[in-house]
């Protein structure tokens, strides 16, 4: 039952199928990019079939046919989000932690990770598929700080330190509407480093 | 032009006005309670005029007439939220911080503060009125830990420590979908206490 690629290219029906696949893939890419754009510029509340269809330049009917729920649109946006930005560790513990926290803070503002995080938090609690994407993105986001802090803390202390490290950026943004200053970032790193150091 | 209370009670038109005011106040209380119930049981996405009207037992038209936007409904829900629960400090620094973080963690689950926080974070970024309510609730929420930690840290270090303290609860819930264990709470408190202690 298998066909070689040549069978596809010389058979009329297969060629149509290939063309159809390409069209669907292009639609998917366009709609995914539009969904991410709406999510990051306007927030989750604006991610509706009507708004995403308008931004992507497709009909609402096309969107509803392929992606019937708003959570489907969120899934598309997350598919094209890519990897989290990171500081490249140099081996200097304090400088690496300040560098990584600064990259995270700047990404909250530049990439609107705050809006992505809000959508992930809301939908990850209810939808298994979004929870899986959230786990992957958070693991990626925490990977560098977990590796760097792992040099001085393990187990429960490492889990607590990683959560506090993220919190030093996330809580000011979500709860106070402002990112931490460079001084607060440095103070947070010093507290964690001092706090996890052996007595 | 002023009237005494007696004028109200013996004048027909004023009595009707009083009755009208009471009716509006009752409607407002019913709708506020319903909006908070929908917000905490289903999350912000479910806080629509249709759903809140159904839960409150009023018509959608009544809701749209008095509170035309979904943000108005959020404002009503926050009005009846009340004060944040707190641990009562005893003077034992470590026990007070663990007690307060435990109350905060338990309230995230029992009062669904996570859902309230998500709505505040989303709408506080766009709506001044919600930003004001958020500031008041966050100041209330942080008041005890700020007072207790203020015994050993000030200024930028205190700001960083308070953000990390909140983050130790908020980040596991929002980013991992699970509240921190008692062990992680204790580890976080020890890291902050050790971290802010003078050299």
């Amino acid at each position: 039952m298998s066909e070689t690629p040549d069978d596809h290219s010389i058979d009329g029906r297969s060629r149509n199928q290939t063309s159809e696949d390409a069209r669907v893939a292009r639609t998917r890419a366009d709609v995914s990019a539009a969904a991410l754009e709406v999510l990051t510029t306007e927030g989750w509340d604006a991610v509706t079939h009507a708004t995403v269809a308008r931004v992507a330049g497709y009909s609402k009917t096309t969107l509803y046919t392929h992606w019937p729920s708003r959570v489907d649109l969120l899934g598309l946006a997350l598919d094209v989000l890519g990897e989290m930005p990171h500081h490249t560790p140099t081996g200097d513990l304090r400088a690496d932690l300040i560098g990584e926290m600064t990259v995270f803070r700047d990404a909250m503002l530049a990439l609107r990770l705050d809006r992505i995080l809000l959508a992930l938090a809301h939908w990850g609690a209810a939808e298994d598929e979004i929870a899986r994407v959230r786990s992957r993105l958070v693991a990626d986001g925490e990977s560098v700080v977990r590796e760097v802090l792992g040099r001085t803390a393990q187990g429960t202390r490492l889990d607590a330190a990683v959560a506090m490290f993220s919190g030093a950026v996330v809580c000011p943004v979500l709860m106070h509407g402002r990112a931490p200053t460079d001084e607060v970032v440095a103070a947070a790193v010093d507290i964690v480093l001092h706090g996890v150091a052996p007595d």
Side-chain angles (χ1 to χ4, degrees), chain A residues 38 68 123 197:
Chain A
V38 174
W123 287 104

mmCIF file with all atom_site columns, all heavy atoms in Angstrom, chain A residues 38 68 123 197:
data_model
loop_
_atom_site.group_PDB
_atom_site.id
_atom_site.type_symbol
_atom_site.label_atom_id
_atom_site.label_alt_id
_atom_site.label_comp_id
_atom_site.label_asym_id
_atom_site.label_entity_id
_atom_site.label_seq_id
_atom_site.pdbx_PDB_ins_code
_atom_site.Cartn_x
_atom_site.Cartn_y
_atom_site.Cartn_z
_atom_site.occupancy
_atom_site.B_iso_or_equiv
_atom_site.pdbx_formal_charge
_atom_site.auth_seq_id
_atom_site.auth_comp_id
_atom_site.auth_asym_id
_atom_site.auth_atom_id
_atom_site.pdbx_PDB_model_num
ATOM 1  N N   . VAL A 1 38  ? -2.765  38.311 18.251 1.00 0.00 ? 38  VAL A N   1
ATOM 2  C CA  . VAL A 1 38  ? -3.903  38.830 19.025 1.00 0.00 ? 38  VAL A CA  1
ATOM 3  C C   . VAL A 1 38  ? -3.677  38.568 20.522 1.00 0.00 ? 38  VAL A C   1
ATOM 4  O O   . VAL A 1 38  ? -3.898  39.446 21.360 1.00 0.00 ? 38  VAL A O   1
ATOM 5  C CB  . VAL A 1 38  ? -5.231  38.196 18.558 1.00 0.00 ? 38  VAL A CB  1
ATOM 6  C CG1 . VAL A 1 38  ? -6.383  38.618 19.468 1.00 0.00 ? 38  VAL A CG1 1
ATOM 7  C CG2 . VAL A 1 38  ? -5.530  38.591 17.111 1.00 0.00 ? 38  VAL A CG2 1
ATOM 8  N N   . PRO A 1 68  ? -12.725 24.513 16.168 1.00 0.00 ? 68  PRO A N   1
ATOM 9  C CA  . PRO A 1 68  ? -14.054 24.941 16.637 1.00 0.00 ? 68  PRO A CA  1
ATOM 10 C C   . PRO A 1 68  ? -14.058 25.714 17.962 1.00 0.00 ? 68  PRO A C   1
ATOM 11 O O   . PRO A 1 68  ? -14.972 26.506 18.185 1.00 0.00 ? 68  PRO A O   1
ATOM 12 C CB  . PRO A 1 68  ? -14.839 23.630 16.760 1.00 0.00 ? 68  PRO A CB  1
ATOM 13 C CG  . PRO A 1 68  ? -13.843 22.530 16.641 1.00 0.00 ? 68  PRO A CG  1
ATOM 14 C CD  . PRO A 1 68  ? -12.644 23.059 15.955 1.00 0.00 ? 68  PRO A CD  1
ATOM 15 N N   . TRP A 1 123 ? -6.159  28.317 31.231 1.00 0.00 ? 123 TRP A N   1
ATOM 16 C CA  . TRP A 1 123 ? -6.610  27.150 30.478 1.00 0.00 ? 123 TRP A CA  1
ATOM 17 C C   . TRP A 1 123 ? -5.887  25.875 30.860 1.00 0.00 ? 123 TRP A C   1
ATOM 18 O O   . TRP A 1 123 ? -6.414  24.774 30.693 1.00 0.00 ? 123 TRP A O   1
ATOM 19 C CB  . TRP A 1 123 ? -6.517  27.417 28.976 1.00 0.00 ? 123 TRP A CB  1
ATOM 20 C CG  . TRP A 1 123 ? -7.603  28.345 28.610 1.00 0.00 ? 123 TRP A CG  1
ATOM 21 C CD1 . TRP A 1 123 ? -7.494  29.673 28.341 1.00 0.00 ? 123 TRP A CD1 1
ATOM 22 C CD2 . TRP A 1 123 ? -8.996  28.032 28.560 1.00 0.00 ? 123 TRP A CD2 1
ATOM 23 N NE1 . TRP A 1 123 ? -8.736  30.214 28.120 1.00 0.00 ? 123 TRP A NE1 1
ATOM 24 C CE2 . TRP A 1 123 ? -9.670  29.232 28.241 1.00 0.00 ? 123 TRP A CE2 1
ATOM 25 C CE3 . TRP A 1 123 ? -9.737  26.868 28.748 1.00 0.00 ? 123 TRP A CE3 1
ATOM 26 C CZ2 . TRP A 1 123 ? -11.060 29.285 28.124 1.00 0.00 ? 123 TRP A CZ2 1
ATOM 27 C CZ3 . TRP A 1 123 ? -11.119 26.925 28.620 1.00 0.00 ? 123 TRP A CZ3 1
ATOM 28 C CH2 . TRP A 1 123 ? -11.753 28.125 28.312 1.00 0.00 ? 123 TRP A CH2 1
ATOM 29 N N   . ALA A 1 197 ? 22.821  29.303 50.451 1.00 0.00 ? 197 ALA A N   1
ATOM 30 C CA  . ALA A 1 197 ? 24.208  28.934 50.779 1.00 0.00 ? 197 ALA A CA  1
ATOM 31 C C   . ALA A 1 197 ? 24.240  28.092 52.043 1.00 0.00 ? 197 ALA A C   1
ATOM 32 O O   . ALA A 1 197 ? 23.430  28.290 52.953 1.00 0.00 ? 197 ALA A O   1
ATOM 33 C CB  . ALA A 1 197 ? 25.054  30.189 50.958 1.00 0.00 ? 197 ALA A CB  1
#
